[in-house]
Amino acid sequence: MNEKINFYNSLELTLSEAEIIFSSAVDDSKSLFHTPTLSTFENKKISTRTVVLREFNREKRYLRFHTDSRSNKINQINDESTSTVHGYDPDLKIQIRLNGQTTIHQNDEISRNAWDQSREMSKMCYSVSNSPGKEILAPEEYDIVKEQIEIESGYKNFAVIIFKFDYLEFLFLKGAGHRRSSFDWSNGDLISNWLIP
Ligand SMILES: Cc1cc2nc3c(=O)[nH]c(=O)nc-3n(C[C@H](O)[C@H](O)[C@H](O)COP(=O)(O)O)c2cc1C
């Protein structure tokens, strides 16, 4: 992609590049933006984890992730919605940072649609018998055996995280000519700026 870097000196094309990266990362499991990190607050501490990108909506500026409704991040997000998403691909030499707000969806139309679109393999992990993060003595007791579970019953533990961003920062590394830019929608209209890298 970087053989012909059309976005190098254009803010407009830089934003388009970021949108293309996230759009294509949804189905491209080899893209490092397919598994970005999502950071949330746990009181005054920061909690960061890898999540799989399930959807990127350019117009509404959100990313969709799936998770277990019993996981620690649910309470964190319910207490404080301010979150960030970060990704870096060393082949592309591009880092993208997003600031925004997360919301949880469970037992609603959004979670139902997301569940119905999920593959069996993805659904299986929601049948684990206890909360993710719980301390246990023997990990093998919690291995999921397909023949022993009712896959659809995992829906009760399934949650969707919608991360809506209002700030995107793009960093492209290129020798002495790095390019860093910001795209800010927090006051309504988009304000784009070059930044010193
Ligand atoms: C490659 C990879 C993909 C992952 N995808 C997800 C995911 O889509 N959703 C999720 O909740 N956790 C995912 N995890 C696990 C999280 O990183 C994390 O360990 C887990 O969600 C517990 O986080 P929490 O205690 O902060 O809730 C993934 C981990 C890796 C390494």
Side-chain angles (χ1 to χ4, degrees):
M1 185 188 289
N2 287 338
E3 283 155 22
K4 190 168 160 271
I5 307 155
N6 61 355
F7 60 84
Y8 192 53
N9 284 322
S10 162
L11 284 170
E12 207 182 328
L13 293 179
T14 296
L15 180 56
S16 300
E17 185 69 15
E19 292 166 347
I20 290 166
I21 286 172
F22 279 121
S23 298
S24 49
V26 173
D27 293 321
D28 180 4
S29 60
K30 292 205 172 71
S31 163
L32 292 191
F33 288 90
H34 183 65
T35 46
T37 54
L38 168 71
S39 298
T40 49
F41 279 107
E42 187 172 23
N43 300 317
K44 284 188 171 176
K45 291 185 184 163
I46 295 159
S47 186
T48 295
R49 82 284 292 159
T50 309
V51 281
V52 174
L53 177 61
R54 305 289 179 177
E55 182 189 354
F56 172 71
N57 189 311
R58 189 180 68 84
E59 286 79 27
K60 295 183 180 164
R61 288 199 312 281
Y62 72 73
L63 282 67
R64 170 163 56 91
F65 307 111
H66 296 171
T67 197
D68 192 306
S69 60
R70 300 164 294 179
S71 64
N72 293 333
K73 65 182 85 53
I74 297 291
N75 282 343
Q76 294 169 12
I77 291 168
N78 282 334
D79 286 350
E80 173 57 68
S81 63
T82 302
S83 314
T84 63
V85 166
H86 161 268
Y88 172 64
D89 189 319
D91 289 333
L92 301 177
K93 297 185 171 57
I94 290 171
Q95 170 184 262
I96 302 176
R97 302 199 289 189
L98 302 172
N99 297 358
Q101 310 286 324
T102 34
T103 48
I104 304 288
H105 291 265
Q106 228 197 323
N107 284 316
D108 65 8
E109 207 183 328
I110 289 174
S111 67
R112 176 45 74 182
N113 286 341
W115 177 262
D116 289 344
Q117 285 166 26
S118 296
R119 283 183 295 195
E120 224 178 54
M121 266 290 286
S122 310
K123 288 179 174 177
M124 275 172 52
C125 54
Y126 298 96
S127 290
V128 68
S129 60
N130 233 310
S131 304
K134 180 184 157 63
E135 290 179 9
I136 51 173
L137 290 175
E140 64 277 10
E141 285 174 15
Y142 289 84
D143 290 341
I144 294 168
V145 182
K146 193 178 171 191
E147 292 69 34
Q148 293 174 3
I149 57 162
E150 163 51 58
I151 289 178
E152 288 306 308
S153 71
Y155 180 64
K156 64 179 181 302
N157 303 320
F158 177 73
V160 169
I161 299 173
I162 299 290
F163 169 79
K164 188 166 171 21
F165 60 93
D166 59 11
Y167 180 83
L168 184 154
E169 200 179 291
F170 190 101
L171 176 65
F172 173 58
L173 303 174
K174 186 177 187 289
H178 303 328
R179 290 290 180 271
R180 182 174 171 187
S181 48
S182 66
F183 303 88
D184 190 344
W185 294 266
S186 59
N187 287 321
D189 292 340
L190 169 63
I191 298 171
S192 312
N193 276 305
W194 291 112
L195 307 173
I196 296 176

